[in-house]
Amino acid sequence: MPLNLQKNLPAIELLKKEHIFVMDSLRAATQDIRPLRVVVLNLMPLKVTTETDLVRLLSNTPLQVEMDLMKIKGHTPKNTSIEHMRAFYKDFDQMKSEYYDGMIVTGAPVEQMPFEEVTYWEEIMEIFDWARTHVTSTLDEQHAIVDYIETRLTKIDNYIADLQAEIDYLKEFKQRLVSDVVTGQICVAEPQKGEMQ
């Protein structure tokens, strides 16, 4: 699958070694294909590793994918160079007028911190609000899909538990029946000719 990435993104060389086909935006522009546009809000501490993992996953589609990397203006990463961030990431303000087919949000477990300690929380909420009108596959739809799947899985799990209880009951019944026959409590002999059935 042709994955359209910004030229010189470190993930490109790593993925070429894995024989994953990627192309820069110059080559992609010559193709007569409308790419699937995906924006990635990458909040992970190790951005280059996360970028590589995402590109590896996105490369498994037959569609051309154009990936833009978004950063939070109110947060400076500790584990990724400023040069890398400037070269490959755009602030949300620069992307507000763009429209995307999908959005991927990665990040540290901020839910384990009090919200007042997440200094960029308001900007994230603004991005999520923007995504409702600028991203075809919004976070709300994804949450609804997850909720639906979890509801269905709960029903299936309950059904499986009910069936397992029935199976256990039938096994116990079979064991009791065999025991009753062996001990003579139940007669299973065929009726002889002339006996009442």
Side-chain angles (χ1 to χ4, degrees):
M1 166 307 297
L3 192 60
N4 178 359
L5 300 173
Q6 192 173 340
K7 194 173 185 174
N8 300 325
L9 185 72
I12 292 173
E13 289 307 312
L14 291 169
L15 296 169
K16 282 183 179 177
K17 290 177 185 173
E18 295 177 24
H19 305 291
I20 294 175
F21 179 58
V22 294
M23 69 174 73
D24 63 36
S25 54
L26 294 175
R27 181 170 176 197
T30 64
Q31 293 192 333
D32 191 21
I33 299 173
R34 179 198 157 322
L36 185 67
R37 297 194 70 222
V38 176
V39 60
V40 177
L41 175 58
N42 185 4
L43 301 173
M44 293 297 282
L46 302 175
K47 301 214 181 303
V48 174
T49 302
T50 304
E51 293 158 13
T52 305
D53 291 342
L54 287 172
V55 170
R56 189 178 289 115
L57 289 171
L58 290 172
S59 69
N60 287 322
T61 175
L63 303 172
Q64 184 184 112
V65 178
E66 181 181 296
M67 185 174 82
D68 288 338
L69 299 169
M70 178 188 290
K71 67 182 172 90
I72 298 287
K73 191 172 21 175
H75 178 70
T76 304
K78 298 174 187 154
N79 301 307
T80 305
S81 73
I82 298 294
E83 294 80 23
H84 181 84
M85 296 302 293
R86 284 187 184 140
F88 303 110
Y89 285 76
K90 296 179 192 171
D91 285 330
F92 170 59
D93 289 339
Q94 296 173 282
M95 305 174 85
K96 280 183 177 179
S97 63
E98 299 290 326
Y99 289 85
Y100 292 90
D101 298 302
M103 180 176 188
I104 299 170
V105 180
T106 68
V110 294
E111 70 275 0
Q112 295 178 7
M113 301 169 59
F115 287 120
E116 51 279 355
E117 289 182 26
V118 182
T119 56
Y120 48 87
W121 186 252
E122 284 185 30
E123 189 174 359
I124 287 178
M125 297 309 338
E126 183 182 356
I127 291 168
F128 289 172
D129 288 340
W130 165 84
R132 288 188 180 102
T133 57
H134 287 74
V135 180
T136 303
S137 177
T138 66
L139 298 170
D140 291 338
E141 290 171 356
Q142 293 169 4
H143 286 295
I145 291 167
V146 168
D147 289 344
Y148 173 78
I149 291 171
E150 285 177 351
T151 301
R152 295 300 300 235
L153 287 176
T154 300
K155 288 179 181 179
I156 291 169
D157 288 343
N158 291 339
Y159 184 67
I160 289 170
D162 291 346
L163 287 175
Q164 188 59 52
E166 286 184 42
I167 290 169
D168 293 343
Y169 173 78
L170 289 172
K171 284 181 179 178
E172 182 182 326
F173 179 76
K174 176 184 171 188
Q175 190 174 15
R176 236 188 353 235
L177 184 61
V178 168
S179 176
D180 288 349
V181 170
V182 169
T183 59
Q185 294 177 4
I186 296 178
C187 180
V188 291
E190 288 188 34
Q192 299 296 321
K193 207 175 194 180
E195 289 183 14
M196 290 184 74
Q197 294 185 1

